Structure formats: C-alpha cells, structure tokens
Amino acid sequence: MTKPLNIGMIGYGFMGKAHTNAYASANHFFPELEYKPVLKAVCARNKDKAQVFADTWGYESVETDWREMLKRDDIDAVDICTPNNLHKEIAIAAAEAGKAILCEKPLAMDVAEGEEMCEAVEKAGVPNIVWYNYRRLPAVTLAKQLIDEGRLGRIFHYRANFLQDWTINEDVPQGGAATWRLDADAAGSGVTGDLLAHCIDTAVWLNGLVKDVSAMTETFVKERPDAETGEKKPVKIDDACSFMCHFQNGSLGLFESTRYARGHKALYTFEVNGEKASLKWDLHDLHRLEYFDHADDSVVRGWRNIHVSDGDQPYLDHWWVPGLQIGYEHSFIHQVADFLAGYEKGNPVAPTFRDALETQKICDAVLKSAHDHSWVEIS
C-alpha cells in the first residue's frame, strides 16, 4: 500500500504537462516506491484555463492564488512551473509553510535570489529539487557512470551547445503567457538561463566545478512588440551566447547557445575528451551514446554507437525489453521516481537548490563577462 504525496502545481504550461505526466506515470513503472503522487491542485491566474488543465490531467481542484494553495493542509509538495521572476517568492513561502518543493530551472533570476531560496529550504529542512531533467536520460546517466569509473582518464575538453531558431522572426512578441522567455523582467536572461543552464548543469555534474569564464552575447533583434499592448519595447535578453571556461580539474570548456540557428529546434549536444577515451551525446538521438576507447585494438578502433536500452544500463530495468527505446518524457518520470525514493528515506536528491545555485553562479558570471569583456572567476 502506497502513501500519498499530495502535489500542488503552480503553472500549467509546457513544463506543467511534462511534470504532471511524470507524476501520473512514476509508480506504474517504479512500483517499489513507497509514496505515490496525488494530483491535488493546480494553480493559475486564469481559472477557466486552469480548470480545463485540471479536467484534462486529473487534478482534483483549482486555485487562482498560490498563497491560498500554500495554506492548504492537504498539499505536501509544491511544483513551481512559473516564469523565473516568481520562483523566489513562491519557494520561500512554500518552505516556510513546510512544503517539499520541486522548482523549474533556472533556480532564480540571479545568485542573490538563489542564495535566499537555499537558505529558506535549508532553514525549514524541506526536501527540494530543481528540474534539470537531462541528467536522468539513461544515455546521459551512463556517460556519468563511465566518467566516474575512470574510463576516460584525465579529462581535457568538454564542449556543448544548445541551438534553436524559434525567435528569428522580429514580430515574435515579448511577454505574455507564451513568450515570457523574451521578457527580461520575467526571465532574467535569454538563452543563458533558458538553454545554457541545462548545458552547464550537465557539465558540472559530469566534469566538476567551473573555475572561470569568458563570454560574449548578442541580441540580434533590438526591439519587439509587447505581447499585451503591441507597443515596441527594447529587448533586454540575450538571443545568443558563447563562452569558454576552465574547469577546476584542469580541462577546458566551450559552450554555445542561440535561438537564431535556422534549422535547429532543440539541438543539444555534448562531447567529453579524455586521455583514454571520449564520448558524445545528441538530444536528437537521445537513446544513443557514442563512445571511443583508445584501448581497442587498432584494426577495430573507432567510435562505437551504444544503443542505451538494456536493463543493465541506468533506469532501463524499469522499462521495456532490450532494443526498445524510451524518450524525452522519461527523464521527468525518472526525476519524480528518484525524488520519491529520497523523500521516503529522508535523503536529499540532486540537483538540490544548493546544487542548482552553482549553475546560477556560472550563468551570472557568463553574463557579467559578456558585459565587461573580461574573464570572470566563479566565486
């Protein structure tokens, strides 16, 4: 018999769907879990739209004020799926109310906000996690396993990119429900916090802490119409960002992200080069990990393509028979499963708020470096 973990979700957009699907699916495929998410309430300002979401996905109730939802005794955990500028206020209030917190990335608008959030959850002692879901794709988790086993040896290079093209049209507005990511007041930054944050989190998880960065950014469309008024306003977010860095382990890093790479909708790749071996991964082919081992006999040495679908590989003993792959949505299911397992035992599950603060530090340093045209050390 499972115990209920009552979920209150704030926001109902794309991530709301991804998270809700994970809550609904986790116990079917991880039946050993002691706790089971219950879709107790969804909260949004527009009651009618929130009700449609609740009816579609099976939430028991609707709230229009997140403060009222936090007062409810029947809410155990709060999922923050709002624009970034609301993360801090909601997370601190949720911590003070004794709720477990699952927060969308990036953690906050900046390091100062993130530090306040960390202090709040640590003072309250509530479970907390940030939705950096790419860690939990089996091929990415396998890359972590191979690196931790020392199969690559000393790491020399880490490179990653995340490319999209959806904002090239200068008529795309800023602000509003659909395009808040183009509004600096709601998002804080552009591709740095939205896309590169994913790349940075994965990199720190795989390769360790970053020592310093040197970055450049560009805003290609300088003015956009306001989504509410139609009035042209200056664009204050970064459309593109590239940076290089030194990792604390002595390796070099190279990162690039843009929403102006025509032909790319979600090209996220990374490659790691070590003294003994290399590996690389591509979100477009997310169930495969490419691996090169210099120890192979020279007549057969080359890049091998590992189809990550076997039960001996991370998470896959909970899914299908070997050869049948899983997809993007499963990364969220794995995160929910790991969170529930940690919740049962009282153990923190990464990335916690404190873990995600490290990514926030790097994002802030990248933006400062681009502004100042200088190298910036990570504090």
Side-chain angles (χ1 to χ4, degrees):
M1 181 69 69
T2 57
K3 301 175 184 177
L5 183 72
N6 294 328
I7 304 295
M9 176 175 287
I10 305 173
Y12 59 87
F14 169 45
M15 283 297 112
K17 294 178 182 178
H19 297 185
T20 303
N21 177 69
Y23 294 132
S25 302
N27 292 83
H28 292 303
F29 293 95
F30 293 79
E32 71 276 12
L33 293 169
E34 181 177 331
Y35 283 87
K36 181 177 182 177
V38 176
L39 304 178
K40 186 61 66 172
V42 61
C43 180
R45 288 173 295 181
N46 188 311
K47 185 175 182 179
D48 291 339
K49 291 182 178 180
Q51 188 64 60
V52 170
F53 184 88
D55 293 342
T56 300
W57 288 92
Y59 281 88
E60 296 178 12
S61 61
V62 168
E63 296 281 357
T64 56
D65 185 338
W66 59 264
R67 295 172 183 84
E68 293 301 314
M69 193 179 78
L70 293 185
K71 294 177 182 178
R72 290 174 51 166
D73 294 333
D74 62 347
I75 299 296
D76 301 314
V78 173
D79 190 333
I80 304 173
C81 290
T82 67
N84 306 336
N85 62 325
L86 299 176
H87 288 188
K88 185 188 84 165
E89 184 180 11
I90 296 173
I92 291 175
E96 291 174 346
K99 313 297 186 184
I101 308 171
L102 303 95
C103 184
E104 250 307 317
K105 46 63 60 182
L107 176 63
M109 297 283 276
D110 54 38
V111 170
E113 283 195 1
E115 186 60 55
E116 289 185 62
M117 294 166 70
C118 290
E119 291 174 359
V121 296
E122 290 164 0
K123 179 181 179 181
V126 295
N128 57 93
I129 195 170
V130 178
W131 289 94
Y132 281 114
N133 58 295
Y134 292 111
R135 291 185 179 206
R136 288 176 164 86
L137 286 169
V140 178
T141 309
L142 179 60
K144 169 70 169 173
Q145 177 182 315
L146 298 177
I147 292 170
D148 287 352
E149 290 173 354
R151 293 178 184 245
L152 274 64
R154 179 186 174 189
I155 304 300
F156 298 128
H157 297 283
Y158 189 105
R159 63 185 64 84
N161 61 21
F162 207 141
L163 312 181
Q164 297 181 342
D165 70 355
W166 67 277
T167 64
I168 291 179
N169 188 335
E170 63 184 18
D171 294 329
V172 175
Q174 59 179 313
T179 51
W180 63 265
R181 288 177 175 82
L182 303 185
D183 181 358
D185 291 338
S189 67
V191 296
T192 299
D194 185 26
L195 303 180
L196 274 177
H198 273 303
C199 300
I200 293 166
D201 174 77
T202 307
V204 171
W205 187 53
L206 295 178
N207 195 41
L209 298 176
V210 170
K211 180 181 178 182
D212 56 15
V213 300
S214 178
M216 60 181 178
T217 61
E218 184 57 66
T219 302
F220 295 112
V221 174
K222 309 299 184 185
E223 290 186 333
R224 289 187 180 275
D226 182 275
E228 304 294 334
T229 67
E231 179 186 357
K232 284 286 186 81
K233 295 169 51 180
V235 176
K236 299 179 181 179
I237 54 95
D238 44 302
D239 290 327
C241 178
S242 299
F243 75 90
M244 51 188 177
C245 69
H246 295 95
F247 286 88
Q248 288 191 8
N249 65 6
S251 61
L252 303 181
L254 189 61
F255 295 77
E256 179 190 14
S257 187
T258 181
R259 296 188 184 125
Y260 281 71
R262 181 64 82 193
H264 291 299
K265 306 304 178 185
L267 178 68
Y268 173 24
T269 69
F270 65 76
E271 180 171 341
V272 189
N273 305 130
E275 62 177 326
K276 298 178 182 178
S278 293
L279 55 80
K280 55 185 175 180
W281 176 79
D282 183 342
L283 176 59
H284 286 170
D285 205 8
L286 56 80
H287 57 286
R288 295 186 182 274
L289 183 68
E290 293 188 67
Y291 182 70
F292 177 95
D293 191 340
H294 187 69
D296 290 343
D297 189 88
S298 62
V299 298
V300 293
R301 186 185 299 144
W303 284 94
R304 69 184 73 167
N305 192 307
I306 304 170
H307 187 216
V308 185
S309 67
D310 193 278
D312 291 336
Q313 294 161 328
Y315 296 108
L316 288 160
D317 57 330
H318 288 80
W319 295 100
W320 322 122
V321 298
L324 300 182
Q325 65 209 43
I326 62 175
Y328 169 78
E329 70 274 21
H330 296 82
S331 63
F332 297 96
I333 297 172
H334 296 159
Q335 180 143 346
V336 168
D338 288 346
F339 181 79
L340 293 174
Y343 189 89
E344 173 187 340
K345 297 178 174 62
N347 296 331
V349 180
T352 63
F353 279 24
R354 184 63 65 180
D355 297 324
L357 185 63
E358 191 62 36
T359 292
Q360 194 76 54
K361 290 178 181 179
I362 298 168
C363 288
D364 282 17
V366 164
L367 295 172
K368 178 175 174 53
S369 171
H371 179 270
D372 296 347
H373 301 279
S374 65
W375 280 92
V376 175
E377 292 192 5
I378 311 302
S379 60

